[in-house]
Amino acid sequence: IGIETDTSIVFPGTKGTNYVLVTNIQNMEALHTNYLAIFSQRMLEEQVCPTFLECRDPLFLEEDGQLYINNLTGGAPGAAPDFARDVVITKTADSFEIEVPLTTPGDQTGMPYIFKVINQDGYWVLDTFFYFGACD
């Protein structure tokens, strides 16, 4: 469904960051549960948590038992996966890799991304993704 917020409830962060109340995920524990439905444990420990939760101005923080999200992150480019052009690269009983072009309004050809999905405890979750583009 995505992250739902109430922008009228603000928790001030450091150096001008503002955190707004997340209304559809109660706290960090619930956020972690949601993350486990999407990401492998390895990816959570090595990439997701350090990037989104353990940095100087984290994307999420919990204050007084409520979850807040930093709404001054600058956003992300409007990239969209073009699943009509995805290609399965490898496939085993426990994992698969697909290459999917991510297009933007200025680049409809798209940059290729490779996503690795693994079976973890009976559920298919994202384990890694690799970007192969001009910034390599």
Side-chain angles (χ1 to χ4, degrees):
I1 295 173
I3 304 290
E4 296 173 7
T5 62
D6 181 346
T7 57
S8 70
I9 302 174
V10 176
F11 180 81
T14 60
K15 295 190 179 191
T17 58
N18 282 319
Y19 291 85
V20 295
L21 181 68
V22 175
T23 59
N24 64 330
I25 300 174
Q26 182 68 33
N27 52 31
M28 282 290 196
E29 182 179 344
L31 178 67
H32 191 263
T33 299
N34 279 279
Y35 274 167
L36 284 173
I38 301 167
F39 304 110
S40 70
Q41 187 65 42
R42 186 206 58 77
M43 189 170 181
L44 270 177
E45 292 170 2
E46 294 177 12
Q47 295 176 317
V48 174
C49 289
T51 302
F52 295 132
L53 304 177
E54 298 166 8
C55 58
R56 184 179 61 118
D57 291 314
L59 182 60
F60 293 96
L61 63 81
E62 183 176 328
E63 186 66 32
D64 295 327
Q66 296 194 308
L67 188 66
Y68 292 82
I69 187 170
N70 183 343
N71 74 336
L72 297 177
T73 60
D82 185 351
F83 292 114
R85 295 188 294 146
D86 67 348
V87 177
V88 176
I89 297 172
T90 64
K91 182 175 146 183
T92 70
D94 297 332
S95 68
F96 62 90
E97 290 181 328
I98 59 172
E99 181 178 290
V100 180
L102 265 70
T103 63
T104 63
D107 178 13
Q108 291 300 303
T109 302
M111 298 301 264
Y113 276 74
I114 295 177
F115 296 88
K116 182 176 182 181
V117 178
I118 64 167
N119 190 313
Q120 177 178 277
D121 301 324
Y123 297 97
W124 293 99
V125 293
L126 185 62
D127 189 51
T128 56
F129 69 90
F130 304 98
Y131 166 67
F132 296 99
C135 296
D136 289 347

